[in-house]
Amino acid sequence: MSARVRIVGLLFVVVAIAVGALVLSRGPGRAVVVPSPRTPVYPDLISVPLSDFLVGTEERTAVEQLRFTSTIANIGPGTLRIDGRRTDGSDQGWTVVQWLDEPDGQPSGRITGANLVFGGHGHEHWHLKFGASYRLQAVDEANEVASQTKAGFCFFDQIRVDPEVAGAPTDRRFLAESCGERGSTAVEMGMSVGWSDPYFWQLEDQSVDITGLPDGEYRLTAQADPDDWLMESDETNNATWTDLRIGTLDGGLRSVEVIGASGE
């Protein structure tokens, strides 16, 4: 490489920094500038109260799992929009950008610390790694007795939760297909204002292991974006909890009863 080419490349980087932007490579000969946030309109992710509680026992291992449905919704004024890029189909490291809406119509964004992980168990697409965590503890104690970190979320519009939220579209704008396939080098995912993405109790990672857990009262907490990768308008409402009474029926089967929940 000549000295002149090196100097031109250096000047390009300096200019990008001067205007408050990052340059994200999109493959040979292509790049996109990620302007730094100015006065963005943020999304607001919340964990909807948990539901569909039951206890299942794995026949082969005899492991008892407390299963449940969890849902993340966007009730903020801005759209959740995530863009993942990698150099080729074998690269395990993704560059993940959260794009943000700006009042002037020109988007801004930032590169997050997140990575993508390829799903399985019927979810053959890419997920934002560790999009939620679940924690079980005794109601009268702070000690954690069981936990689960969900492998990831392919965020998309599944169920419209609040038509009254300003700016909520009537039709889905983000679909599961945009989360790509195994060989993809670019994926997009997100959640429109007023829409939610439930993960039902039958799915992988929608459980905590309660094998040998004594009967009693426990609190199950779900936390969206536990690693704080995403920029939101409100960072204090990402968690929800439900108090449960776990018991044992005649014949040894476990039971679960809801006795309280956040927001009640």
Side-chain angles (χ1 to χ4, degrees):
M1 180 184 293
S2 70
R4 181 176 181 179
V5 171
R6 287 197 297 270
I7 292 172
V8 170
L10 177 60
L11 288 174
F12 178 73
V13 172
V14 171
V15 170
I17 294 173
V19 298
L22 295 171
V23 178
L24 171 64
S25 174
R26 289 199 176 192
R30 293 181 296 167
V32 61
V33 175
V34 184
S36 298
R38 302 179 299 281
T39 56
V41 182
Y42 293 108
D44 182 17
L45 300 184
I46 64 168
S47 292
V48 175
L50 301 166
S51 61
D52 302 331
F53 297 97
L54 57 93
V55 177
T57 302
E58 169 62 43
E59 262 186 66
R60 185 174 54 85
T61 63
V63 170
E64 293 179 323
Q65 298 280 1
L66 171 63
R67 308 200 65 86
F68 49 88
T69 294
S70 66
T71 301
I72 293 179
N74 178 17
I75 63 168
T79 301
L80 174 67
R81 188 177 294 109
I82 298 167
D83 181 355
R85 304 280 165 169
R86 59 178 178 168
T87 54
D88 59 62
S90 62
D91 190 352
Q92 297 303 305
W94 289 77
T95 300
V96 179
V97 173
Q98 179 187 1
W99 290 99
L100 300 164
D101 297 326
E102 295 281 349
D104 61 5
Q106 299 299 315
S108 63
R110 71 161 186 173
I111 296 177
T112 72
N115 198 12
L116 300 183
V117 58
F118 193 75
H121 312 284
H123 285 238
E124 302 300 318
H125 47 226
W126 291 94
H127 297 68
L128 184 70
K129 192 173 183 182
F130 297 159
S133 65
Y134 311 117
R135 186 175 70 257
L136 187 69
Q137 63 189 65
V139 168
D140 56 354
E141 297 179 10
N143 294 333
E144 182 180 289
V145 296
S147 64
Q148 172 71 280
T149 301
K150 187 171 179 61
F153 271 82
C154 164
F155 289 107
F156 65 98
D157 297 339
Q158 281 204 64
I159 297 176
R160 194 178 180 202
V161 292
D162 193 347
E164 301 304 318
V165 173
T170 57
D171 298 318
R172 296 192 301 162
R173 295 181 177 177
F174 294 95
L175 304 176
E177 290 79 2
S178 65
C179 291
E181 55 190 30
R182 188 177 292 276
S184 298
T185 56
V187 300
E188 295 179 349
M189 62 181 74
M191 198 183 307
S192 300
V193 175
W195 285 76
S196 70
D197 185 12
Y199 272 63
F200 297 102
W201 64 268
Q202 305 98 321
L203 299 175
E204 191 73 10
D205 297 331
Q206 290 304 128
S207 63
V208 292
D209 186 347
I210 60 167
T211 306
L213 187 70
D215 293 349
E217 296 181 354
Y218 297 90
R219 174 165 292 182
L220 180 63
T221 301
Q223 174 83 32
D225 191 25
D227 295 305
D228 197 26
W229 286 324
L230 304 177
M231 301 177 72
E232 304 179 55
S233 60
D234 187 348
E235 300 284 357
T236 67
N237 61 356
N238 287 6
T240 186
W241 55 263
T242 303
D243 286 345
L244 307 168
R245 181 177 292 116
I246 298 175
T248 304
L249 302 174
D250 292 341
L253 295 176
R254 305 301 295 273
S255 64
V256 57
E257 174 190 1
V258 175
I259 57 176
S262 55
E264 289 187 344

